[in-house]
């Protein structure tokens, strides 16, 4: 069983970490939890053990259970998603696909996608909330990328980072006289907690090719 000093240290560390993850100020957390600013400071600096009522209020304000505040396990969290567990969330008649490999929960969302586009195929992505970024790295083939009115042509080994609050399109950019090589790329979506949430089902297949 943890000593009172260990409990205070654990709660202080967890409250501070959760508050920072949610981009809350000390004043905002205090107001949401119904406690004083000084109480939050004392808890985060491990200078006192909060009452059960204070713990419940803090947990509610931080949108977690009380267990998350008193959990003393400091080991890093490791989540493994095996290949068979990955979800293919889009596929075209031509054999293109978008596979969702792994991601994090809100408030700060990070998603890893594995894309394959067959020759002549393309995909339209809707505008994400302001503040969302995407990072693409081309593994093979030739990728065409349109973001708003800007068009980029990327080869294997090229990497791009762009702000994704405008409509964007990925396309297989192989030359017409090429050998019909698919383009494969990995994509990371970075969506901070204050940008809002866009579910994967909001993206749709392109109806016209990139020109």
């Amino acid at each position: 069983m943890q000593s009172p000093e260990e409990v205070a240290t654990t709660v202080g560390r967890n409250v501070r970490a959760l508050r920072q993850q949610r981009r809350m100020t000390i004043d905002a957390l205090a107001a949401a939890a119904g406690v004083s600013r000084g109480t939050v400071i004392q808890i985060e600096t491990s200078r006192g053990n909060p009452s059960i009522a204070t713990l419940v209020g803090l947990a509610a304000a931080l949108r977690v259970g009380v267990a998350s505040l008193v959990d003393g396990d400091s080991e890093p969290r490791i989540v493994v998603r095996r290949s068979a567990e990955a979800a293919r969330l889009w596929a075209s008649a031509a054999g293109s696909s978008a596979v969702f490999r792994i991601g994090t929960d809100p408030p700060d969302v990070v998603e890893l996608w594995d894309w394959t586009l067959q020759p002549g195929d393309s995909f339209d992505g809707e505008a994400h909330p302001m503040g969302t970024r995407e990072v693409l790295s081309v593994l093979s083939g030739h990728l065409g990328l349109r973001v708003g009115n800007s068009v980029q042509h990327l080869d294997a080994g090229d990497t791009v980072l762009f702000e994704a609050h405008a409509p964007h399109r990925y396309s297989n950019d192989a030359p017409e006289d090429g050998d019909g090589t698919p383009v494969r790329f990995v994509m990371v979506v970075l969506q901070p907690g204050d940008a809002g949430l866009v579910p994967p089902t909001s993206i749709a297949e392109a109806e016209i090719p990139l020109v």
Side-chain angles (χ1 to χ4, degrees):
M1 182 177 295
Q2 296 185 75
S3 68
E5 293 77 16
E6 291 172 331
V7 171
T9 299
T10 296
V11 171
R13 180 187 66 239
N14 291 337
V15 168
R16 182 170 59 254
L18 289 165
R19 176 177 64 78
Q20 291 173 343
Q21 288 174 14
R22 283 149 178 74
R23 291 184 170 84
M24 298 178 72
T25 64
I26 290 176
D27 288 332
L29 176 57
V35 299
S36 69
R37 184 176 189 274
T39 296
V40 175
I41 293 174
Q42 284 190 329
I43 291 172
E44 289 196 359
T45 55
S46 306
R47 287 185 287 164
N49 281 307
S51 66
I52 294 176
T54 298
L55 278 176
V56 170
L58 288 170
L62 292 167
R63 305 192 302 279
V64 297
V66 171
S68 295
L69 302 186
V70 299
D71 184 4
D73 186 3
S74 59
E75 285 296 310
R77 183 186 180 207
I78 299 175
V79 178
V80 176
R81 175 168 287 181
R82 303 297 180 185
S83 177
E85 299 171 329
R88 187 172 68 171
L89 298 184
W90 173 79
S92 74
S96 301
S97 64
V99 177
F100 181 75
R101 292 293 179 186
I102 202 167
T104 62
D105 294 325
D108 296 316
V109 176
V110 180
E111 299 174 348
L112 176 63
W113 294 77
D114 186 345
W115 285 79
T116 301
L117 289 176
Q118 298 295 335
D121 228 346
S122 57
F123 182 93
D124 276 346
E126 293 183 2
H128 293 291
M130 186 70 69
T132 304
R133 291 179 173 86
E134 292 188 11
V135 183
L136 310 181
S137 188
V138 182
L139 303 179
S140 61
H142 306 276
L143 176 67
L145 172 67
R146 175 180 288 168
V147 182
N149 296 320
S150 176
V151 177
Q152 304 293 329
H153 302 280
L154 308 170
D155 297 325
D158 291 346
T159 303
V160 61
L161 182 152
F162 65 91
E163 296 177 332
H165 57 266
H168 40 284
R169 176 182 296 168
Y170 326 117
S171 68
N172 188 318
D173 206 21
E176 293 183 2
D177 58 351
D179 58 2
T181 302
V183 60
R184 183 162 176 249
F185 62 96
V186 291
M187 176 179 74
V188 175
V189 180
L190 307 170
Q191 188 167 281
D194 54 3
L197 299 175
V198 174
T201 53
S202 68
I203 51 180
E205 184 178 357
E207 297 181 355
I208 57 176
L210 181 67
V211 295

